[in-house]
Amino acid sequence: MKIAVTFDKGNIFQHFGHTKQFKLYETENDEITGFKIVDTLGSGHGSLAGFLADNDVDVLICGGIGGGAQDALAQAGIKVFGGVQGSADRAVISFLNKTLNYNPDIKCDHHEHGEHHTCGENGCHHD
């Protein structure tokens, strides 16, 4: 299984659509067997799902994520675990141990918010 995490300086980046890097983890038998950090090369909301699909990702762990991105990821067969904070490595280990604390109802849609908003608990921030 391949797991992608929105990545920034070791932690989970909190706004999927503005992600500049993903940390991609290769796993087997519930253990991490390898990883690499990949740049999104400026991909935005619309093309990040395709970027992850092209990298054969099965699972995405992230902070805030909008409904449109969730739909695109679902159509690509990628399971989303949003509303996650903290260390990317610890989140993947928790996921593999089936103890990941995530929010299945996470939504971050800037079109539904004013200019200044916060999505979820310390989710995506926009000032």
Side-chain angles (χ1 to χ4, degrees):
M1 174 186 326
K2 190 178 278 188
I3 302 169
V5 180
T6 53
F7 191 73
D8 183 43
K9 299 176 190 154
N11 291 312
I12 298 166
F13 185 67
Q14 293 299 304
H15 188 167
F16 174 78
H18 290 247
T19 299
K20 293 185 177 151
Q21 291 184 319
F22 287 102
K23 189 166 184 179
L24 303 179
Y25 297 81
E26 295 281 349
T27 67
E28 192 172 317
N29 298 320
D30 293 330
E31 291 189 17
I32 297 169
T33 58
F35 65 87
K36 65 181 176 179
I37 297 171
V38 295
D39 292 328
T40 62
L41 305 173
S43 299
H45 290 89
S47 58
L48 286 174
F51 178 88
L52 293 174
D54 290 345
N55 280 279
D56 300 318
V57 168
D58 302 295
V59 170
L60 169 68
I61 297 172
C62 62
I65 184 169
Q70 289 181 38
D71 292 343
L73 290 162
Q75 288 177 4
I78 298 170
K79 294 179 184 169
V80 177
F81 295 85
V84 183
Q85 301 174 45
S87 163
D89 292 347
R90 274 186 255 146
V92 171
I93 291 167
S94 294
F95 174 80
L96 294 172
N97 291 332
K98 298 173 180 46
T99 60
L100 180 66
N101 184 13
Y102 70 99
N103 180 353
D105 299 318
I106 191 75
K107 292 282 188 258
C108 181
D109 188 342
H110 295 284
H111 302 289
E112 294 177 10
H113 296 295
E115 186 63 28
H116 302 282
H117 73 276
T118 301
C119 298
E121 293 180 24
N122 297 320
C124 73
H125 302 284
H126 185 70
D127 291 317

